[in-house]
Amino acid sequence: MKKFITIGREYGSGGNKIAELVAKELCIPVYDSEIIDLSAKESGLSPDFIKNTEQSLSSGWLYTLLLGSGYSTPGTGASRLGFGPQSINVPLADQVFNAQRNTIIDLAKKGPCVLVGRCSDYILRHCEEVPRAEVLNVFIYAPLADKVKYAIEEFGLDPATAERDVKLIDKRRANHYNTFTERTWGNKNHYDLLVNSSLLGIEKTAQMIAQIARES
């Protein structure tokens, strides 16, 4: 069984709901917005700030340091990268990413789970404590029209601007992922499974992913 399932998702594809159902099927915890709250404690930034800016800020400043620092470096906050409180100022985008990275690693160390977004597939790839063979990386997508409809019904987006908003959020997610991982968001080469959630619907898509996790 795959013990760790990461779920990247386009906005409006139902990825968050699918993640919840997969976790329920497998009887393991799911971490989505919880990552924000825990990252806030990690970084000292407010949960609202992280929620509002985690995908609107981007920086490449930490990328090389992240690769060189190792993903099991002890400590908390900026100290995990060797920065003391009196050292150089880390850009806010990098503080948010690093806090979420540390949080995701800590959650994975606790045991099997479903992790939603936030470059979790890439982060676990570099976490020595999580064997690659135990990870299932999934990307959920859907046709634009279906995403717009879902976003209006589930998130209350204004129908007049919903299509623009869906495209903008996806662009921000892609920019964030591409910047911090130097990979391409949604590229088939970086995932074990890519699923069009409109094909089977939310519940059946979740059931399929759970079955694959059990049998692979």
Side-chain angles (χ1 to χ4, degrees), residues 51-67:
K51 181 178 181 180
N52 293 331
T53 63
E54 63 178 350
Q55 290 168 351
S56 61
L57 294 174
S58 63
S59 170
W61 187 84
L62 267 182
Y63 177 75
T64 302
L65 291 174
L66 287 171
L67 290 183

Side-chain angles (χ1 to χ4, degrees), residues 90-103:
V90 181
L92 285 175
D94 297 311
Q95 291 183 44
V96 171
F97 176 78
N98 191 48
Q100 291 186 339
R101 176 189 71 106
N102 294 336
T103 295

Side-chain angles (χ1 to χ4, degrees), residues 23-208:
K24 185 176 180 180
E25 286 272 342
L26 298 175
C27 299
I28 59 177
V30 56
Y31 300 110
D32 186 355
S33 59
E34 295 84 357
I35 296 175
I36 293 176
D37 295 332
L38 293 170
S39 297
K41 294 179 181 179
E42 166 81 26
S43 64
L45 299 170
S46 75
D48 287 339
F49 175 83
I50 292 178
K51 181 178 181 180
N52 293 331
T53 63
E54 63 178 350
Q55 290 168 351
S56 61
L57 294 174
S58 63
S59 170
W61 187 84
L62 267 182
Y63 177 75
T64 302
L65 291 174
L66 287 171
L67 290 183
S69 67
Y71 280 72
S72 58
T73 306
T76 59
S79 65
R80 296 207 194 187
L81 289 180
F83 302 134
Q86 304 302 321
S87 59
I88 56 179
N89 294 321
V90 181
L92 285 175
D94 297 311
Q95 291 183 44
V96 171
F97 176 78
N98 191 48
Q100 291 186 339
R101 176 189 71 106
N102 294 336
T103 295
I104 287 169
I105 291 171
D106 289 342
L107 291 171
K109 287 180 180 179
K110 292 180 179 180
C113 59
V114 176
L115 296 160
V116 181
R118 300 170 180 89
C119 307
S120 54
D121 59 303
Y122 181 80
I123 291 169
L124 291 192
R125 178 172 175 263
H126 293 276
C127 179
E128 295 179 357
E129 292 84 356
V130 178
R132 177 63 186 87
E134 296 182 356
V135 180
L136 178 67
N137 294 319
V138 181
F139 189 84
I140 309 294
Y141 66 98
L144 178 60
D146 292 343
K147 293 191 295 182
V148 171
K149 182 175 183 293
Y150 186 91
I152 292 171
E153 295 175 351
E154 297 293 326
F155 306 139
L157 264 61
D158 183 348
T161 59
E163 181 174 332
R164 180 201 66 187
D165 293 341
V166 168
K167 289 180 178 179
L168 177 60
I169 292 171
D170 276 350
K171 182 177 181 180
R172 287 177 174 175
R173 288 182 177 179
N175 287 342
H176 178 84
Y177 184 92
N178 298 349
T179 297
F180 284 104
T181 70
E182 289 200 345
R183 298 164 70 175
T184 302
W185 187 67
N187 186 310
K188 65 181 181 180
N189 294 318
H190 306 319
Y191 304 91
D192 302 304
L193 179 67
L194 287 86
V195 185
N196 178 353
S197 58
S198 293
L199 187 62
L200 295 176
I202 301 298
E203 292 188 3
K204 289 185 178 180
T205 297
Q207 292 169 1
M208 180 186 69

